[in-house]
Structure formats: structure tokens, C-alpha cells
Amino acid sequence: CFQGLTKSQNRANMSDIVPPEVRPKPAVPAKPPNGGSTLLGYIGIDTIIEQMRKKTMKTGFDFNIMVVGPSGLGKSTLVNTLFKSQVSRKSAGWSRDEKIPKTVEIKSVSHVIEEGGVKMKLTVVDTPGFGDQINNDNCWEPISKYINEQFEKFLKEEVNITRKKRIPDTRVHCCLYFIPPTGHSLRQLDVEFMKRLSHSVNIIPVIAKSDTMTVEERQEFKQRVRKELEMNGIEFYPQKEFDDDIEDKSDNDKIRRMHLQEMMPFAVVGSDKEYQVNGKRVLGRKTPWGIIEVENPNHCEFAQLRDFLIRSHLQDLKEVTHNIHYETYRAKRLNDNGGLHPITSNDTQKIYDFHP
Amino acid sequence: MDAIMLQEKLVERLLCPRVRTARQKCNVEKQYVGFATLPNQVHRKSVKKGFDFTLMVAGESGMGKSTLVNSLFLTDLYKDRKLLNAEERINQTVEIIKHTVDIEEKGVKLKLTIVDTPGFGDAVNNNECWKPITDYIDQQFEQYFRDESGLNRKNIQDNRVHCCLYFIPPFGHGLRPVDVEFMKALHEKVNIIPLIAKADCLTPNEIKKLKDRIREEIDKFGIKVYQFPECDSDEDEEFKQLDRELKECTPFAVIGSNTVVEARGQRVRGRLYPWGIVEVENQSHCDFVKLRNMLIRSHMHDLKDVTCDVHYENYRAQCIQEMTSKLAQDNRMESPIPILPLSTPDADTEKLIKMKDEELKRMQEMLNKMQQQMHDKDQ
């Protein structure tokens, strides 16, 4: 129902900048589709999506993902596989002089990756040393501190009198927690960590190196893990409680979420090596008894994790972090403080005197 | 296949003595005393008596220890086991659980005891989680020491741990701090054989790298794992080759399985994955066969010998030394009395020797008293 008046013209101009798939509809006056009888003419409100899209492409957006788990579970390999680039430095084992860090360190590395004209500043926060010691008491504290520090940074910027146009967002949007595939159940350390952090960050539990388990073992393990998470009141992403807050979430989304929850935690295998299988080059692991294809849904759930994390819920993760976790932190800080006064950029010391 | 046959030959060699053949009999019958049949007699007697072997398995839960034990001895020792979930495990300390099973094969009886250590390494704070294990091993030594020094030594029960299989997780990059500490606490009390558990999650390259790394770290930290005895120089080349291969393969990367699957037209123990079938007894898949052969078919006796001759003797010497030093303190001697007498006897030394004699007499009395007490307790 569009008049193809300037369509061809538009196409010629647009193709230089924008790849074919994201080419916008031409902005011409058109009869509104069935329904909008109150509009006497075409206003052009629907082009706002287009404007937003263009703007996002120009500014790009950032995404911060944290990986937590004992060393050797394939965290860096998985992140590299997820984003199809070497964004995480693989620790090929501790070198002769390097020892496992005595306390949990927080190492964050940022990369800008681009796809389809969209730029993403991806920050991967690694936590070497988690769960590696003999005594792992409170090894979650440095991680909790880091997350709160990022919230604090954002809060400070927000509360400033002269605010930056776009506040740099270093808050952790998603935390992938790696569960070792013992086949029995969650370990005490897993429960402790997730209990304490599920209220400040979106936790996505992942079963690492799942090529250790056969399909039946995997199903049983997942069931047991889910039961334990439920028993301990651990809400991992996507959280049930946040569904009711947002009124315009349709029932479809609810059903989708429930379906997802049945599949989680995802049992994944990561790899950065390619092999030839049936004439195709696939990412996989070659063993004497067969090749494990990372992206084959019959072999492992990597493809589902990737689709879930990147293709459908990336923006939602950011929103939940901003609207829920950050707001919780902010409310708590304001309550403790008895009201936060907007401060100039010179006067930053005041905030630090109050410990959340 | 060849490797297995060679290993069978090796076993025969160990069990059967080198008996003179009939051909030589006529020539040397006059000089033939006949004690060359001694090994045969020992063999027959021990077969009648039966053997016992105590094996300890240690490692975090979920490493496949029970599955491996079942696969090694073709039994189902853990039928009624209930797995605990994370919450139930919070207050659990490391326990020691013994399972005993009698196995008989071709007339030879084996009383196998498996010592399990559930709870090891499972807590958040695992400081000294090996203490219950070292205490248990010491207890067995102590009990044997008392029995040995006792009056009635005919039916001593040997509960000493002959071998400890330690399961290293394949997920790490080598030995973790808890692995190092555990092995250092136990390497002078028991024969430790480190294993890489659940090796089917590693590619052959990764296995090789991990093995090299673990061997390196074992050297670096000075951990004394069980060493295979050197083969004699008169053994033939193929035996030596086997022995070399065995040594280069440590630590063994093992897989266990309780299920039987169909592979290449045969029913074998294995694990069925969507991408292939892992066979436990296939040498190109894992080192299970090597471990089994080493543990049961060739080195079981050596493990027991090393336990008796080295670990137990160390314990015993230490024990006696402590006792004598305690006695020395009690008698308030001015100079520390040497355990061994001095080589050149003079007046002073003779006095020392006399005091030493009295001390020994006192120690003997103490031992007798202990024995008596034990005897009374048993009644």
C-alpha cells in the first residue's frame, strides 16, 4: 500500500550506508492500515522506530558480561565461541612462575565488535581464582564488591549536577555461572554464590564441558540442579517475579519464559577449532570416538544459549539490570543515606563516606 | 591385542617359577636339591589361604570413583547408595566408609576392601579435609603394630591401606592446591596412584598436555607417587618396552562405566553419546586397561610389598623413636641417648650402653603391659 514514488531513489541512496536487510521502508505518505480510523492522514509516528534504529547504530551500545567459575571449565573458550572472536584471553594453564591467585581477581577486557553496521562494545569480566583455593570461604565477596562498585559509579554520574550525555555503563548486565558437570548435584559453593548474587545481577547458570555426560545423565543432572535452585530460592534469569511488574508483557512471553526455564541451565560445550563434518566446516571437538559439534542442538545446547543470550534477550538483560537491579541498589543507597544531594564533580568524596 | 597377550605372559612369569625341564634332569639329578620348587609351594599355599587387598579411592564427589571401582572389579558395590544434595552436604565432614567383597577367579580368592572417602573436597572450606584420611591410615598402621608386637600373631588382620587411587578432575589446568596438599600429606603413608578422572571430556591432545603438566607439577612439589619397580636387566625387550610405555603413560586417564553398549557388533562396557560411543576397554580411548592390568595383574603384590616394607616400616620406626624419646624425657637424661651404640667402647660409653639396656627392658615391659591391656579389652 505504499506509493512507490521515490522508492527507487531511496534505494540508491540507502544502499551505500545500510546493508540490504536493514533497509527501511520509504517514508512516504500512505493510507493507514485497517483500524486507525481516527487518523485523518498519515503522521509518520511509525518512523520513530527507524530513527531509533539509526541512532543506535551510530552510537553503538555496550554489553558487560561476567564469567564466574573454577578455572579450567572453559569460560574463556565459551565466550570466544559465543561472540565468534577472541574477546577473552585464554589461560592455557598457569605458567611455571604464575600461581593460582590467592584471592579472586577481577579482570575486565573490552573489545568493540561490529556486525551488520551495529557496533557493540563488549566487556568480558573474568574472575580468576574463584573456587580454586582449598579454603573458598567468602570468595564471592570481591565479585559482589565489583558489581556494587559499578552501580556506585553509575549512581554517582546520575546524581551529578552536570551530567554526561551518555553515562558510560560498566554495570554487569549478565553473569554466566559455570557449574562443573559432576553429574550429582550442585556444590555448596555454587549454592552460596548464587544465593548471594542473584539479587544484584542476572545470573545465567551454565553447565560447562557437558560433553562429559550422556544425554540421560544430562537430563537428570539438570532436573536435580533446577530442583536445588528452587529449594534454595535462587532466582536465575529470566526471573519470574519481574514478569508481573511489566503490565504489557503478553501471555506469549510468559509461556516462552516457562519453556526456557525448563531448558535451563544450558549444557554447553565450547570450541574455537573447526572441523569438516559432512562437507561443512563446523566448530567442534575431535575425539577418537567422534566429533562433537558445538552448534548441533543434538549434541549440546550451545546454539540455544547463544540465541537466548544474544539474539533474543540481550536488550532485556540490560533493561532488567537497569530497571531492577540498579534501582534496588539505588533505593537502598538513598534510604541509608537519608536522601542523596546532587553533587558537583569536584565534590565526589561525600558519596564514599557512606558505605552501602 | 598383542599388548594384552604380552601382559598375560608377564603374569605367568611372575607366578610360575623357572623349573628345570625334564631334559636336564638326567644329567644333574645327583646335584638336584629341589628347592627350585619353592615358589610353587608358596604359590599353592597362598592360593589356599587367599589374598587380601585394600584399595582407597579419594577425590571430589562426582569424579566417577564408584563407577571406576565397579568397572575395575566387575561388581556393583554401590547399589544402594543415596546421593546427597548440596544442602544435606553442608554439615557433612569427610567420612570413611569401607566396602568388602570376596571375589574368586580360577580358584584364587581375593578379599577386596574398598575404602571410600565421601565428602572429601566438597565443602566451601576444605582446610585439612584430608585429616580424617591420614588419621584412618595411621590407625590401621597402629593396629597392625600392636598386633605384631602381641602374643598371638597367628590371625593378624591386615587392614593397612595398600594403595590409594587419587582422582584429579579433568577440568582444571593441572594440579589444584587441594590436590597438592592431599598428596603431600599422604605420600609417605600410602602408595598414591594419581588418575585423571572422566577422561572422555578431553581430546587426545588435551590429555597429553594435562599429563605432562601434572607430571611436571608432581616433580616440582616433590610428591612421591607410587613408582613402578624397575624391571630386571635379564627381562626381554618386549617386557621392558611394555614397562616403559606404562611409566610414560602416568597419570592414567580413565573412564568408567556401569552400562553395557553395543559397539562394532560387540557388547562392551561404554558410554553412549550422540556423537559416538566411548569404550572403556579400548586402549585408544582411555588408559583403563593399563590401570587394571597394572593394579591387578602385575603390580598388586608389589603394592602390598611397598606398603609393608616402606610405609609401614617408616611408621613403625617413627613410633618407636617417639616412644624412646618420651622415655628419655621421663628419665630426665642430661644428654640425648643415641639409638645406636657407639663404635669404640670406653667407660662412658659402657655406662651409656648399660642405661640403654635398662631402657630397652623398660620399653619391653611397657609393650607387654599394652599387649595385656589389649588382651583384657578383647575378653
Side-chain angles (χ1 to χ4, degrees):
Chain A
C1 44
F2 293 125
Q3 341 266 23
L5 193 46
T6 48
K7 208 171 180 183
S8 45
Q9 264 184 9
N10 266 344
R11 199 174 288 147
N13 293 342
M14 278 306 197
S15 56
D16 301 336
I17 316 166
V18 176
E21 312 84 78
V22 296
R23 206 172 298 140
K25 302 186 218 110
V28 287
K31 275 207 188 64
N34 47 301
S37 44
T38 49
L39 292 174
L40 300 169
Y42 174 70
I43 304 175
I45 300 176
D46 56 348
T47 56
I48 189 130
I49 299 177
E50 215 24 69
Q51 299 172 32
M52 273 176 60
R53 194 206 296 246
K54 266 201 272 179
K55 196 135 201 220
T56 315
M57 274 170 48
K58 228 174 47 167
T59 57
F61 60 105
D62 23 358
F63 187 67
N64 306 322
I65 183 170
M66 176 184 263
V67 283
V68 181
S71 82
L73 278 184
K75 305 189 285 291
S76 315
T77 311
L78 187 73
V79 172
N80 288 346
T81 319
L82 267 175
F83 294 101
K84 287 224 162 96
S85 36
Q86 292 285 336
V87 288
S88 190
R89 183 193 66 90
K90 269 201 287 192
S91 59
W94 309 98
S95 66
R96 222 175 267 261
D97 304 318
E98 232 182 282
K99 291 207 203 86
I100 293 182
K102 286 287 171 175
T103 52
V104 178
E105 295 177 355
I106 308 276
K107 290 196 177 149
S108 88
V109 178
S110 297
H111 291 263
V112 175
I113 52 183
E114 184 170 332
E115 191 184 61
V118 179
K119 280 208 256 310
M120 176 161 91
K121 176 161 168 273
L122 173 72
T123 306
V124 179
V125 183
D126 200 358
T127 54
F130 178 84
D132 287 332
Q133 301 305 320
I134 297 180
N135 181 355
N136 290 311
D137 272 339
N138 301 325
C139 65
W140 46 80
E141 273 181 7
I143 299 175
S144 194
K145 202 163 82 106
Y146 176 82
I147 293 176
N148 285 341
E149 274 172 12
Q150 308 315 306
F151 283 153
E152 185 64 36
K153 252 198 253 180
F154 198 86
L155 182 65
K156 251 181 33 178
E157 286 295 336
E158 240 192 5
V159 145
N160 247 338
I161 294 178
T162 48
R163 291 203 286 206
K164 294 207 190 99
K165 191 166 91 162
R166 199 172 150 256
I167 305 178
D169 191 359
T170 54
R171 299 171 295 184
V172 178
H173 299 128
C174 162
C175 173
L176 287 181
Y177 185 74
F178 284 69
I179 301 174
T182 57
H184 288 188
S185 61
L186 285 181
R187 300 172 307 155
Q188 216 190 314
L189 178 61
D190 305 332
V191 172
E192 288 298 310
F193 177 85
M194 289 201 267
K195 241 202 235 180
R196 285 154 207 271
L197 262 82
S198 57
H199 296 294
S200 22
V201 71
N202 296 320
I203 294 191
I204 297 183
V206 163
I207 299 177
K209 296 207 169 173
S210 65
D211 52 344
T212 309
M213 300 190 283
T214 63
V215 177
E216 299 90 35
E217 290 170 354
R218 194 197 298 169
Q219 290 303 111
E220 281 177 20
F221 185 51
K222 279 214 258 189
Q223 267 183 349
R224 271 198 287 260
V225 168
R226 268 203 300 273
K227 211 167 73 151
E228 279 205 22
L229 289 175
E230 211 181 291
M231 263 186 4
N232 283 297
I234 297 172
E235 284 275 358
F236 53 88
Y237 180 85
Q239 295 92 334
K240 221 182 310 207
E241 48 193 356
F242 304 147
D243 257 356
D244 313 313
D245 288 350
I246 308 167
E247 298 93 20
D248 51 2
K249 269 238 180 251
S250 66
D251 280 324
N252 266 342
D253 284 338
K254 262 208 183 117
I255 293 173
R256 217 161 30 108
R257 187 193 46 71
M258 274 168 40
H259 192 61
L260 255 170
Q261 283 236 313
E262 285 191 1
M263 277 211 296
M264 287 175 80
F266 293 112
V268 295
V269 176
S271 169
D272 49 4
K273 296 203 177 58
E274 288 191 338
Y275 295 99
Q276 196 86 359
V277 174
N278 293 338
K280 285 195 298 174
R281 285 195 73 74
V282 288
L283 282 173
R285 288 170 61 73
K286 183 144 189 252
T287 59
W289 44 88
I291 296 185
I292 304 167
E293 297 166 43
V294 166
E295 289 174 331
N296 183 337
N298 293 331
H299 288 191
C300 75
E301 293 170 352
F302 171 79
Q304 282 109 315
L305 172 68
R306 182 200 47 206
D307 292 345
F308 165 74
L309 188 60
I310 301 177
R311 295 183 189 174
S312 45
H313 285 74
L314 198 62
Q315 186 57 25
D316 188 52
L317 279 164
K318 292 181 64 169
E319 280 181 14
V320 172
T321 308
H322 182 70
N323 295 335
I324 300 189
H325 296 300
Y326 173 67
E327 288 301 314
T328 315
Y329 177 81
R330 185 169 168 278
K332 199 157 156 298
R333 284 284 275 114
L334 294 183
N335 270 335
D336 291 344
N337 231 0
L340 213 56
H341 305 289
I343 48 176
T344 63
S345 41
N346 302 333
D347 210 357
T348 53
Q349 199 48 42
K350 268 209 196 116
I351 289 273
Y352 278 122
D353 291 344
F354 301 99
H355 302 287
Chain B
M1 265 300 130
D2 280 14
I4 298 184
M5 278 172 47
L6 283 169
Q7 277 165 338
E8 302 276 55
K9 260 208 317 198
L10 148 67
V11 167
E12 269 178 50
R13 225 180 269 263
L14 287 172
L15 284 184
C16 303
R18 295 176 200 181
V19 184
R20 289 169 185 268
T21 57
R23 201 167 14 106
Q24 300 165 301
K25 230 210 274 186
C26 39
N27 292 347
V28 294
E29 216 170 281
K30 305 178 202 77
Q31 297 122 5
Y32 183 52
V33 178
F35 58 79
T37 58
L38 211 57
N40 243 359
Q41 299 176 26
V42 171
H43 176 218
R44 256 181 281 142
K45 265 221 164 139
S46 17
V47 166
K48 233 173 53 170
K49 199 166 83 159
F51 297 92
D52 59 3
F53 190 68
T54 308
L55 177 69
M56 174 182 268
V57 284
E60 284 184 357
S61 80
M63 286 289 113
K65 303 186 290 291
S66 334
T67 312
L68 187 75
V69 166
N70 284 345
S71 306
L72 270 174
F73 298 101
L74 296 177
T75 63
D76 195 3
L77 287 173
Y78 296 88
K79 252 191 299 255
D80 306 314
R81 183 175 66 156
K82 178 169 141 343
L83 291 175
L84 302 177
N85 65 19
E87 198 160 349
E88 287 167 350
R89 279 197 243 145
I90 284 179
N91 294 321
Q92 197 198 36
T93 51
V94 179
E95 288 176 54
I96 305 277
I97 297 188
K98 278 180 19 178
H99 301 263
T100 311
V101 69
D102 285 313
I103 308 178
E104 179 166 339
E105 206 178 51
K106 295 206 185 133
V108 181
K109 293 201 245 332
L110 174 69
K111 175 161 161 282
L112 174 72
T113 309
I114 306 281
V115 180
D116 205 352
T117 55
F120 175 80
D122 285 342
V124 177
N125 181 353
N126 289 314
N127 261 339
E128 308 248 315
C129 61
W130 48 84
K131 201 149 173 336
I133 300 176
T134 51
D135 285 347
Y136 175 81
I137 296 178
D138 282 340
Q139 265 171 29
Q140 307 313 308
F141 278 159
E142 194 186 319
Q143 193 210 332
Y144 194 81
F145 182 43
R146 293 227 188 127
D147 285 348
E148 216 186 29
S149 331
L151 293 172
N152 188 352
R153 303 207 295 187
K154 220 198 290 203
N155 295 322
I156 302 184
Q157 270 231 349
D158 187 4
N159 287 326
R160 296 172 295 182
V161 179
H162 298 126
C163 171
C164 174
L165 294 179
Y166 184 65
F167 288 70
I168 300 172
F171 315 127
H173 292 298
L175 293 180
R176 302 164 302 161
V178 69
D179 301 331
V180 173
E181 290 303 309
F182 174 85
M183 290 203 270
K184 277 173 77 167
L186 261 79
H187 63 169
E188 298 195 325
K189 297 184 195 282
V190 72
N191 297 317
I192 297 187
I193 298 181
L195 299 175
I196 299 176
K198 293 198 169 179
D200 55 349
C201 81
L202 298 171
T203 63
N205 257 347
E206 292 168 352
I207 291 185
K208 188 170 169 310
K209 264 201 279 187
L210 187 60
K211 282 192 187 182
D212 287 340
R213 192 150 180 104
I214 292 181
R215 269 202 295 265
E216 214 179 273
E217 291 184 343
I218 286 180
D219 277 334
K220 185 169 100 159
F221 289 107
I223 300 173
K224 303 198 212 69
V225 295
Y226 172 69
Q227 302 291 339
F228 303 120
E230 295 296 332
C231 36
D232 305 322
S233 47
D234 60 346
E235 297 288 353
D236 54 9
E237 210 26 67
E238 42 187 358
F239 182 67
K240 280 197 192 156
Q241 175 67 14
L242 264 184
D243 194 57
R244 249 200 307 270
E245 278 178 22
L246 211 63
K247 289 190 185 153
E248 280 167 18
C249 230
T250 56
F252 295 125
V254 293
I255 303 171
S257 169
N258 281 333
T259 52
V260 177
V261 295
E262 181 107 12
R264 294 179 285 132
Q266 289 179 315
R267 290 178 67 76
V268 288
R269 271 191 177 232
R271 292 169 64 73
L272 177 63
Y273 289 112
W275 47 84
I277 299 181
V278 178
E279 299 166 46
V280 165
E281 295 187 7
N282 185 334
Q283 295 234 36
S284 59
H285 287 187
C286 73
D287 298 329
F288 173 80
V289 174
K290 291 207 180 72
L291 171 69
R292 183 187 55 194
N293 289 347
M294 185 228 79
L295 191 61
I296 303 176
R297 297 184 190 177
S298 34
H299 290 74
M300 192 180 253
H301 205 75
D302 186 61
L303 283 165
K304 291 177 71 168
D305 279 346
V306 174
T307 310
C308 294
D309 297 339
V310 179
H311 299 297
Y312 174 66
E313 289 300 315
N314 279 342
Y315 172 82
R316 189 169 167 277
Q318 217 181 29
C319 215
I320 294 182
Q321 212 163 18
E322 279 175 22
M323 280 204 287
T324 47
S325 67
K326 220 160 58 117
L327 284 174
Q329 283 173 15
D330 288 346
N331 291 338
R332 270 178 253 120
M333 287 296 163
E334 282 171 336
S335 54
I337 295 182
I339 299 296
L340 298 165
L342 300 171
S343 46
T344 53
D346 52 21
D348 278 341
T349 336
E350 278 189 336
K351 220 194 316 174
L352 279 167
I353 293 177
K354 215 196 295 178
M355 283 196 264
K356 181 72 177 129
D357 274 355
E358 289 176 281
E359 214 183 292
L360 279 169
K361 233 183 282 173
R362 253 175 263 132
M363 202 179 80
Q364 189 66 27
E365 284 173 50
M366 212 183 79
L367 280 170
N368 285 341
K369 228 189 287 175
M370 263 183 6
Q371 179 59 30
Q372 190 61 28
Q373 279 177 5
M374 246 186 53
H375 201 66
D376 293 344
K377 228 194 293 180
D378 282 355
Q379 301 289 14

